[in-house]
Amino acid sequence: MVTAGPAPRHGPLLSAPRRLLARVRDVMAGTDAADKRLDEVVRIIASDMVAEVCSIYVRRAGEVLELFATQGLKPNAVHQTRLKFGEGIVGDIAIKARAFALAEAQEHPNFAYRPETGEEIYHSMMGVPVLRGGRVVGVIAVQNRTQRNYTDEEIETLQTVAMVLAELIAGGDLFRITDGTDIDPETVRPVRLEGLMLNPGIGMGQAVLHVSDFHIEELVGDDPDIERGRLVNAFAEMHGSLDELLADEALAEGGEHRDVLETYRLIAEDAGWLKRIEDAIDTGLTAEAAVQRVQNDIRARMAKVTDPYLRERVHDLDDLARRLLLHLMGDGAIAGGRELPDQAILVARNLGPAELLDYDSEKLAGVILEEGSPSSHVAIIAHALDIPVIGQTRDVLRQVDDGDVIVVDAENAQAYIRPGADVVEAFENSVRNASKQKVKFAELIDQPAKTVDGVAISLCINAGLMIDLKHLSEWDADGVGLFRTEIPFMARSKLLGVDEQTRLYTQVLDQAAGRPVIFRTLDIGGDKVLPHWGGTDGENPAMGWRAIRVSLDRPALLRQQLRALIRSAAGRELDVMFPMVAEVAEFDAARALVDKELARESGRGGVMPSKVSVGAMLEVPSLAFQLPALLAKVDFLSVGSNDLMQFLFAQDRGDARMAGRYDVLSPIVLKFLQTVVEHCDGAEVPLSLCGEMAGRPLEAMALLGLGFRRISMSPASLGPVKAMVRSLPVAPLSAFVRGLFDLPQHSVRAEFQEFAETHGVQI
Ligand code: PEP
Ligand code: MG
C-alpha cells in the first residue's frame, strides 16, 4: 500500500507532472473508500491534462479489463464495460504492455465501439498500461474531442501516475466493492493450461504470483534534489561494489565472466540510463520509484524482442536495477520469500534455484512456470523438495490472479485454474491414492534393496541442500552419491570463502553420520549461473566454459573448495569428484590440485582425512574413449546421464522443444553404458550413475540389467525405485538387455515395459 509521505507542498515552483503526481498522491493517501478515491483521481487527471475523458480500467480474472472509473464517459458504463486483452485500443495497450497516443482513435483498426460509453464523440486518445511486477494490472486512458497530438511529456506523466495507481489496484480494496455482485462468469471461468512436466506430483492451493521486484513504500518524492542526491550516491556505491567484484583475486585474469562484469559496468555507467531515471525523479517520484518506473518501461518495450543479445542486455539491466535498488533501500528489501498461504501454488515466468529457496517449501503445493526446462536447476531443486512443477505453460501469468485456486497436475503436465467441483473431486481422489502409495513405500524402508534373485543394490541420494540429508537416515540410503556443491553457492548472494565452506561441508558430513558423501566440485556455467558470478553464458553455455573447465582456469576457486573439503573431513573419509571431465589430462590436472591441497594441509599440521577417494563424472562422451587410462587413475566413476544425453545426442537439456526427443532407453544409450560397465568391472573400479534416469523406476531397472549395482537419485524417488528393485529378477533382465543393443529403433522403452509386466516388476 501507498504510505502517506510528509505534508504535501504544492508551491508554484512545482513542475506540471510533479504537481499532478502530488495531487494524486494526496487523494490516494486519503481515507475515502477506494472507488471514491479512484473517481477523484480520474477527475484530477482529466482536468490537469485538459482532457474531456479520463478512464481507468482494471484487470480482472480471465484477462479482462473492466472500466472502474471514468470522468467524461457515461457513468453507467462503470463496471459494465469490459474488454478482453487484445480487444479495442485499451485491450491492445494491455496485451502489448505499451503506451499508445492516437490523434484519430476511431481510424485505428482495433477501435472497439461500446455504445454504453458514449465515446463516439471523442477523436484522440492516449493510454498507458498500469504495470506491477512487469505485469499489466490496468490501463489509464485519456480522450479528447479534438484531434490532439499528445506529447512525449504527457505520455511520461501518465506513466508516472500509472505507477502510483498500481499500488491502489494491487491493494485489492477496489475488488471488495464489486466482488460477487456483477462479475461476468466468463471472466472467472475455469481454465485448463498445458505445459511440460518438470517435476512430477499433484498439488492444489492458492495462486501466489512471484514478483521479482522490490516493494517500494514511498513512491512520491517531495524534493527532487534530495532524490537525485540519493540516486547519485547509490550509483557510486553500486560502481564501487562492481569494481570490488572485478578486483576479486579469483577473477584477476581475463575470461568470459570478466567480460560479462565489464559489460555490466559499462551499462551501469551508461549516461542515458541515469538520465532517464533522473527525468523520472523530476516527474515527482522517489529515486526507488524512478528506477522501477524506468525498468518497467524498458521491460515492457523489450517484452516482444526475440534477439538473444538484446534480451540479455535487458536481463543485465534488470539485474543492475535490482542492485541499484538494493543500494537505495539497503539489504533485506527483496520481495521474494513473502508470506505464503498454507497451500500455495507459485506462478512465475521463470525462477532461479535461489529464488525458489526463498520461499517456505513446506507451504509450496506446486509451481507453474511460463518458461523452464526439465533439467534446469530449479527443476532439480523442486525434485529434491518434492514439489510438483510444470513449465512451458504459456500465458499462465496473464490468466491467473493472486489467490485463485489452482490444481497442478504435473503428472499429466496440466494445470486447472479456478477448477470446477468435478476437477477438485478428482484431485482429492488422486491425493488419497498418492498417500496410499506413500504408505506402501514407507513400509519398504526397513527392507533391504535386494532383487528377488538376491542381488544387493546400493541406493544413494543426490543432495545439494541440508534438508536433503535428513532423507539419508529416514530412508536408510547408502550414502550421498552426488552432492552438488554449487547449489549452496546459488542460494547465497556472494561466493563462499574457505571458512564458510568448511563449516558447510562439516555440517553435511556430520549429518551423514558416517555414510559416504561424494562431493562434486563446483559445476557452474550452463544453466547453473551463480547470482554473484554474473553469468558465464556464451553461444552454447552447456558446452562452454563450465564445471571443471572453470575450475582449471581459475584454480584459486577450486583450491579453496578442496581446502575446505579436506578440513571438513578431518579424520573422516573424503570422496571428491570432478564434473564434465572430457579427457584424462583434465582429471590429472584436477587431481594434482587435490594433492597440493593435501600437502598444504598436512604442512600446517591440520587433521587429515582418514582416506581420500577422487573420482570423475562421465558426462562427456569423449572420455569414454580413454576409459582404460582413466580407470587406472580414478578411485571411482559416476555417470552423469543428464549431461551425457545432452552431449551424446547433441540435445540441449535446457531446451523444452528437445525434451523427449531422444530416449534414454534407446539401443544407443544402452550400448554406450554397457561399454562403461564392462570397462569398470574389468578394472574393478566402483561405478555408479547419478543422473535423473536413476530415479525413474523403468530406467533404473534398465540400468540394473546393464550391470549397474549402485545408483544415486533424488530422495523422492527412493520409494518407487526400491519397490522396483525388490520385485525384479535381475538375471533374466541381463540376458534380455543383451538382445536390445543392436536393434535399430529410436527407443526400447516398450520392450522394457513388457519385460516389467511379464515379470511382475513394480514400475
Ligand atoms: C548429470 O549431468 O547427469 C548430473 C548428475 O549432473 P547435473 O545434473 O548437476 O549437471
Ligand atoms: Mg552434469
Side-chain angles (χ1 to χ4, degrees), residues 385-700:
L385 299 173
D386 201 12
I387 301 170
V389 185
I390 57 174
Q392 301 287 319
T393 319
R394 281 186 57 189
D395 285 343
V396 60
L397 281 171
R398 290 229 311 265
Q399 311 245 25
V400 172
D401 271 323
D402 254 319
D404 277 347
V405 172
I406 300 185
V407 168
V408 174
D409 171 12
E411 305 288 339
N412 297 300
Q414 57 183 353
Y416 294 91
I417 321 293
R418 303 175 288 276
D422 51 337
V423 173
V424 172
E425 196 188 317
F427 164 80
E428 282 165 351
N429 275 337
S430 307
V431 169
R432 268 193 293 277
N433 286 339
S435 49
K436 272 194 216 141
Q437 282 273 32
K438 268 201 175 134
V439 172
K440 200 181 88 192
F441 293 142
E443 286 166 1
L444 296 181
I445 290 181
D446 299 327
Q447 311 292 325
K450 255 194 191 150
T451 63
V452 289
D453 43 358
V455 177
I457 307 297
S458 168
L459 301 181
C460 298
I461 61 163
N462 293 346
L465 303 168
M466 284 311 288
I467 101 174
D468 298 331
L469 292 164
K470 70 171 200 278
H471 300 291
L472 259 185
S473 52
E474 193 178 292
W475 268 98
D476 197 20
D478 290 326
V480 177
L482 165 67
F483 190 92
R484 293 183 164 100
T485 58
E486 64 279 1
I487 290 181
F489 276 69
M490 287 170 154
R492 308 285 201 290
S493 58
K494 59 182 183 42
L495 286 174
L496 299 176
V498 177
D499 291 344
E500 260 174 307
Q501 287 189 62
T502 309
R503 269 196 300 279
L504 178 83
Y505 305 142
T506 304
Q507 258 184 325
V508 172
L509 288 171
D510 289 351
Q511 183 100 17
R515 290 172 221 248
V517 177
I518 299 180
F519 288 97
R520 184 201 34 208
T521 60
L522 276 182
D523 181 4
I524 48 175
D527 72 325
K528 303 157 188 178
V529 178
L530 307 186
H532 34 81
W533 187 255
T536 54
D537 43 338
E539 281 281 305
N540 285 304
M543 294 198 280
W545 196 59
R546 60 172 282 205
I548 195 171
R549 302 163 184 186
V550 175
S551 298
L552 292 177
D553 291 356
R554 297 282 173 274
L557 208 61
L558 179 58
R559 288 190 64 170
Q560 286 182 7
Q561 184 171 36
L562 293 170
R563 204 171 302 156
L565 285 168
I566 291 166
R567 286 182 192 166
S568 64
R572 303 182 271 201
E573 291 193 10
L574 175 64
D575 301 285
V576 183
M577 75 178 167
F578 299 112
M580 288 279 295
V581 178
E583 53 174 8
V584 171
E586 285 175 343
F587 178 79
D588 285 341
R591 171 145 212 165
L593 294 179
V594 177
D595 293 336
K596 266 194 187 155
E597 283 304 322
L598 284 170
R600 177 190 163 122
E601 193 56 25
S602 126
R604 76 191 271 275
V607 185
M608 302 302 285
S610 59
K611 181 178 169 209
V612 179
S613 305
V614 187
M617 285 189 80
L618 174 55
E619 314 186 82
V620 185
S622 58
L623 191 62
F625 295 92
Q626 282 193 320
L627 277 177
L630 180 77
L631 295 175
K633 297 173 182 233
V634 293
D635 297 314
F636 60 89
L637 190 69
S638 186
V639 177
S641 55
N642 305 339
D643 275 310
L644 182 64
M645 275 300 286
Q646 137 161 298
F647 299 124
L648 202 55
F649 287 99
Q651 168 209 30
D652 185 344
R653 71 188 259 192
D655 187 334
R657 291 163 302 186
M658 290 293 129
R661 188 171 190 101
Y662 302 102
D663 198 344
V664 277
L665 294 183
S666 68
I668 294 170
V669 177
L670 297 182
K671 207 161 180 173
F672 186 99
L673 292 177
Q674 184 239 355
T675 312
V676 179
V677 172
E678 268 179 8
H679 274 99
C680 287
D681 286 352
E684 295 184 9
V685 170
L687 170 69
S688 71
L689 184 142
C690 59
E692 298 300 302
M693 77 180 284
R696 292 194 284 268
L698 192 69
E699 281 85 336

Side-chain angles (χ1 to χ4, degrees), residues 135-162:
R135 201 169 161 261
V136 176
V137 295
V139 169
I140 313 180
V142 295
Q143 290 170 274
N144 282 79
R145 277 176 202 265
T146 53
Q147 292 198 341
R148 173 169 166 188
N149 286 311
Y150 299 99
T151 63
D152 284 351
E153 286 80 65
E154 284 171 320
I155 298 178
E156 287 261 310
T157 302
L158 206 55
Q159 280 175 324
T160 305
V161 172

